[in-house]
Amino acid sequence: MKCRQNPTKYFAFSLGIFVFLAASLVSADPQNSENSGDWRIYGDTTLHGEAYGSRGSSNQSPYASLGNQYYQELSLSGESQASPYDKWRFEFNGLWNNSLYRSQNWGGEIERLRLLREKGDTHVPYRLELGDLYANFSYRTLQRSLRGAQIEFQPKSSENNAQSFVLVYGKSSPDWRSVELAEDRTTALSWLFQEQEKKKFAVNFAHNQRDADIKTGMLERAQNVWSLAFERNAKLFGKEAVFEAETAWFAGDHDGINGPASGLDKQARSLYGQLSGGDTP
């Protein structure tokens, strides 16, 4: 059974949060120019108190735990912009929990943490994300939330062409407390080439590794997916139209149909195509 937190320590923590938040807001100067490069800090914190009780037999109560429940939520964000092409941004959501209903973890924990860096006025423009991120290549390769790092490089091409390289590494975990123990790891990379805003061509690769789970009987699993994707904008019967196509290859393991072992060392491929169009609003 988990122990409840000391109320004195809890309210001392709450007071410290208020002081820190107030100091952060005072340091932010709302009169500064948007592109001054100074930091602008925003935040709020909310203290929640709940009381649960029942009459008669506690076994008949709809609430699993009776008594007082407390928790405090903190949200902080900040940004610094030296120019439209030179930006920093961070997001933080934290929780101090003393409630059986708010979270399964007690005490302080990080619920969301994200740092973003954009630098577009350098020889090789880039965008870096650390913390909570969403890796999105295509429907057939990678679309999932991760805790890790993602960096995108955009080497300068000709005036009418553009390209980008994206590298991703992250873990899937229910919370930040268990991210170091996460057994679900993803590594991926993607290259995208765009020509005159009419054609797009992409090469994607994603690798996922999951450790064996004795409790569920799941065996160690490794998956690899490659794909080639193409998109073309054109006129069709006088209307704007978009043609999309992607072919993908899979090699690795899945859950299996007749037990975990039946899903080991499998291969598959897929082909997707779509034509859509209509009037431009």
Side-chain angles (χ1 to χ4, degrees):
M1 182 176 179
K2 298 178 179 179
C3 299
R4 304 298 295 274
Q5 300 293 314
N6 187 316
T8 303
K9 293 183 178 180
Y10 174 73
F11 286 109
F13 175 83
S14 303
L15 179 60
I17 290 297
F18 277 112
V19 172
F20 173 76
L21 181 57
S24 300
L25 295 177
V26 168
S27 65
D29 185 359
Q31 302 300 322
N32 284 335
S33 169
E34 181 180 355
N35 296 326
S36 66
D38 292 336
W39 278 95
R40 296 178 296 278
I41 309 296
Y42 312 92
D44 63 78
T45 182
T46 306
L47 175 63
H48 301 260
E50 302 170 348
Y52 296 86
S54 67
R55 293 183 178 180
S57 175
S58 60
N59 295 329
Q60 303 300 318
S61 173
Y63 304 108
S65 179
L66 304 179
N68 299 328
Q69 312 285 334
Y70 303 99
Y71 64 93
Q72 182 169 2
E73 298 169 319
L74 170 66
S75 175
L76 286 174
S77 63
E79 58 184 3
S80 172
Q81 180 170 307
S83 75
Y85 309 101
D86 189 348
K87 303 177 183 178
W88 287 90
R89 182 179 303 156
F90 77 87
E91 300 173 14
F92 171 84
N93 290 332
L95 170 70
W96 183 265
N97 186 53
N98 199 52
S99 170
L100 290 169
Y101 300 102
R102 178 59 177 82
S103 171
Q104 64 178 354
N105 298 320
W106 292 92
E109 68 173 294
I110 299 172
E111 294 196 312
R112 177 174 174 80
L113 180 63
R114 179 173 178 260
L115 176 65
L116 171 66
R117 171 60 169 156
E118 291 184 355
K119 186 68 172 175
D121 54 0
T122 186
H123 182 66
V124 180
Y126 65 90
R127 174 189 174 97
L128 173 66
E129 291 183 79
L130 301 175
D132 288 281
L133 57 90
Y134 184 67
N136 182 10
F137 288 0
S138 72
Y139 287 118
R140 279 145 291 281
T141 51
L142 179 63
Q143 281 191 323
R144 68 181 317 199
S145 297
L146 297 171
R147 290 187 166 98
Q150 176 173 275
I151 187 167
E152 177 183 3
F153 297 100
Q154 297 182 350
K156 296 179 181 178
S157 302
S158 62
E159 182 178 351
N160 297 322
N161 300 331
Q163 61 178 330
S164 73
F165 296 88
V166 180
L167 303 174
V168 179
Y169 175 77
K171 297 182 178 181
S172 178
S173 63
D175 52 60
W176 275 98
R177 285 191 176 188
S178 57
V179 69
E180 293 185 0
L181 304 176
E183 302 170 344
D184 185 342
R185 303 172 294 277
T186 298
T187 305
L189 59 90
S190 175
W191 172 66
L192 172 68
F193 178 80
Q194 181 171 338
E195 179 184 352
Q196 298 180 345
E197 299 184 356
K198 292 183 178 180
K199 299 178 183 178
K200 293 180 181 179
F201 178 77
V203 179
N204 305 307
F205 170 74
H207 170 77
N208 179 258
Q209 185 80 34
R210 302 189 187 188
D211 295 341
D213 190 336
I214 299 178
K215 295 181 179 179
T216 62
M218 187 181 76
L219 303 177
E220 182 178 1
R221 187 167 73 181
Q223 298 178 334
N224 297 291
V225 179
W226 300 263
S227 84
L228 300 176
F230 176 78
E231 180 180 306
R232 166 73 175 178
N233 297 339
K235 288 279 189 178
L236 184 64
F237 304 113
K239 305 291 185 181
E240 295 289 340
V242 179
F243 173 70
E244 302 174 68
E246 185 174 12
T247 182
W249 297 267
F250 169 86
D253 314 315
H254 58 71
D255 290 338
I257 299 176
N258 300 316
S262 66
L264 298 179
D265 196 19
K266 300 296 181 180
Q267 296 182 358
R269 63 178 181 268
S270 66
L271 179 63
Y272 165 83
Q274 174 178 299
L275 178 62
S276 58
D279 294 320
T280 304

